[in-house]
Amino acid sequence: MKYRTALVVDDDVQYLRLLAAIFAGQGLTILTADNGKDALRILSEHSCELMITDLQMPEMDGFELSRLARMLAPDMDVVLCTGVASPRVVRQAAGLGISQVVAKPCRVQDILALLRGEDVPQPGSTQAVSVQMPGGLHRTNSNRT
């Protein structure tokens, strides 16, 4: 696996537990938070190589969390999981340096591909396009037809 430590953030506690169980089964150290404030506290106390966050959460959405998390962990890869993976969301995510946007519900094979550092094709796209960003981060955009 590409990552050793990951933070998973989602206000849906059942979904959070499911992702954490899948990741833990891959030998990763998993930290979880059900809101952005707790996620930032965890990031201030622990080093994480990957953060997977929901977009729509109360109090602080995934975009704001990602922006603030970048200040604490500038080299951390960020994956945004959302039920609204529109082109606007993908563009906004790319502007924030988010590595990838993945539509919910995520398939197990997509989650495992993320852990290996692979790009996951976006729904409605013909392919995933990975763009090298400064600092070794990757941004993935979808090509829609």
Side-chain angles (χ1 to χ4, degrees), residues 99-100 113-114 117-121 128-131 138-140:
S99 306
Q100 185 145 0
L114 288 172
E118 299 171 5
D119 291 326
V120 177
V129 179
S130 181
V131 178
H138 288 81
R139 179 181 78 214
T140 300

Side-chain angles (χ1 to χ4, degrees), residues 77-98:
D77 285 339
V78 178
V79 174
L80 184 72
C81 291
T82 178
V84 289
S86 69
R88 182 190 64 78
V89 167
V90 172
R91 281 191 305 274
Q92 189 170 353
L96 289 169
I98 292 172

Side-chain angles (χ1 to χ4, degrees), residues 43-63:
L43 287 173
S44 71
E45 298 170 358
H46 300 277
S47 177
C48 295
E49 300 161 313
L50 172 68
M51 179 174 74
I52 299 177
T53 183
D54 188 16
L55 173 58
Q56 297 178 322
M57 298 182 290
E59 298 179 32
M60 182 185 308
D61 69 15
F63 288 140

Side-chain angles (χ1 to χ4, degrees), residues 107-123:
R107 300 177 311 163
V108 172
Q109 59 264 39
D110 290 344
I111 293 169
L112 296 176
L114 288 172
L115 295 179
R116 292 188 299 267
E118 299 171 5
D119 291 326
V120 177
Q122 310 245 341

Side-chain angles (χ1 to χ4, degrees), residues 5-27:
T5 305
L7 171 61
V8 182
V9 187
D10 201 304
D11 60 317
D12 180 339
V13 177
Q14 289 180 330
Y15 189 74
L16 186 64
R17 287 182 186 147
L18 173 66
L19 286 180
I22 291 169
F23 290 175
Q26 299 301 309

Side-chain angles (χ1 to χ4, degrees), residues 122-126 142-145:
Q122 310 245 341
S125 71
T126 56
S142 62
N143 290 336
R144 294 173 117 10
T145 55

